[in-house]
Amino acid sequence: MGPHPMVIHPHDYWLSPLGALLGLASTAYLSQIFLGTQNPWFIAPMGASAVLLFAVPASPLAQPWSVIGGNLIAASVGVTCAQLIASPILSVAIAGSVAIALMMRLRCLHPPSGAVALTAILGGSSISALGYQFVLFPVLANSLFLITLAIIFNRLCKRDYPHHPQAIPSKKTGVLEITLEDVETALRQHHELLDIDENDLLNIVNETEQIAANRRKQ
């Protein structure tokens, strides 16, 4: 039940919160300018998106398509359920379930999107009054602003975002060579969705083998 150990670069202890501070403040400011104050211009799930975009930008769940696709799908499902299902309890349950199924199918799984679906239902009269406009304003607008700022900030900090992992050929260490196909087969047999790109996982395995080989030489 204790906290899982995390390997974090020392720079990330201040880069991640700084990025979230700048990203959320700028997104809120831009949203208010473009959307005005008559309708909701900022939604709480963006705070959860900021955790992914600025703390773990290499995560498959933090990539632009995951954020945009996941939020648009969840918002659309949420609005639909709000309009068709009278019971709030049943509405939020179905909206969250359907949103997850569609996000997984379309490869845009983004955890904060679950909160977007619920916001469409439980956000109050100002959200309900927007109807399907909620999908574009503020959901899409917030998502695009935050992603743009995340790209700028992460690039300035020398972080690869959007993340484009490339498998690095392993150096001969005397250990049986592991290929990307081997990693993908192992992940399918694992029967759990792991939040890491296959190429990143292969690179970590290859680097670990090299470190172990160098240690044996010492």
Side-chain angles (χ1 to χ4, degrees):
M1 297 294 291
H4 184 75
M6 299 177 65
V7 180
I8 303 177
H9 194 284
H11 289 170
D12 288 334
Y13 281 108
W14 63 269
L15 280 179
S16 298
L18 176 61
L21 171 65
L22 297 175
L24 289 173
S26 301
T27 298
Y29 179 68
L30 290 172
S31 296
Q32 187 176 32
I33 290 177
F34 284 94
L35 303 181
T37 58
Q38 299 301 316
N39 293 317
W41 46 267
F42 199 56
I43 54 174
M46 290 299 108
S49 293
V51 175
L52 291 170
L53 290 169
F54 297 101
V56 282
S59 168
L61 307 180
Q63 302 314 299
W65 169 238
S66 295
V67 179
I68 296 175
N71 285 345
L72 288 180
I73 289 171
S76 300
V77 170
V79 172
T80 301
C81 288
Q83 295 185 354
L84 298 180
I85 304 174
S87 169
I89 295 177
L90 186 59
S91 183
V92 297
I94 292 177
S97 176
V98 172
I100 290 174
L102 291 176
M103 286 189 289
M104 293 182 70
R105 185 66 177 176
L106 297 175
R107 297 189 299 174
C108 56
L109 192 62
H110 185 60
S113 298
V116 172
L118 270 60
T119 300
I121 300 168
L122 305 176
S125 58
S126 59
I127 295 292
S128 300
L130 292 177
Y132 285 100
Q133 182 183 334
F134 173 73
V135 179
L136 299 178
F137 308 103
V139 173
L140 179 59
N142 285 179
S143 301
L144 291 175
F145 287 147
L146 193 61
I147 288 173
T148 301
L149 294 162
I151 291 174
I152 294 172
F153 180 83
N154 285 313
R155 292 288 178 88
L156 290 175
C157 295
K158 308 301 183 183
R159 290 170 161 184
D160 179 31
Y161 185 82
H163 188 55
H164 300 291
Q166 299 292 330
I168 302 173
S170 61
K171 298 180 180 179
K172 299 299 181 181
T173 60
V175 181
L176 186 64
E177 183 178 359
I178 299 175
T179 66
L180 180 61
E181 289 72 20
D182 297 329
V183 172
E184 292 174 344
T185 300
L187 288 174
R188 282 193 293 269
Q189 295 176 353
H190 193 68
H191 299 301
E192 287 185 68
L193 179 61
L194 299 180
D195 185 18
I196 186 171
D197 183 90
E198 293 87 345
N199 286 295
D200 286 335
L201 181 57
L202 177 59
N203 291 339
I204 291 172
V205 171
N206 289 336
E207 291 171 6
T208 303
E209 286 186 349
Q210 188 61 50
I211 292 171
N214 293 338
R215 187 184 68 252
R216 288 197 298 267
K217 295 177 182 179
Q218 295 178 354

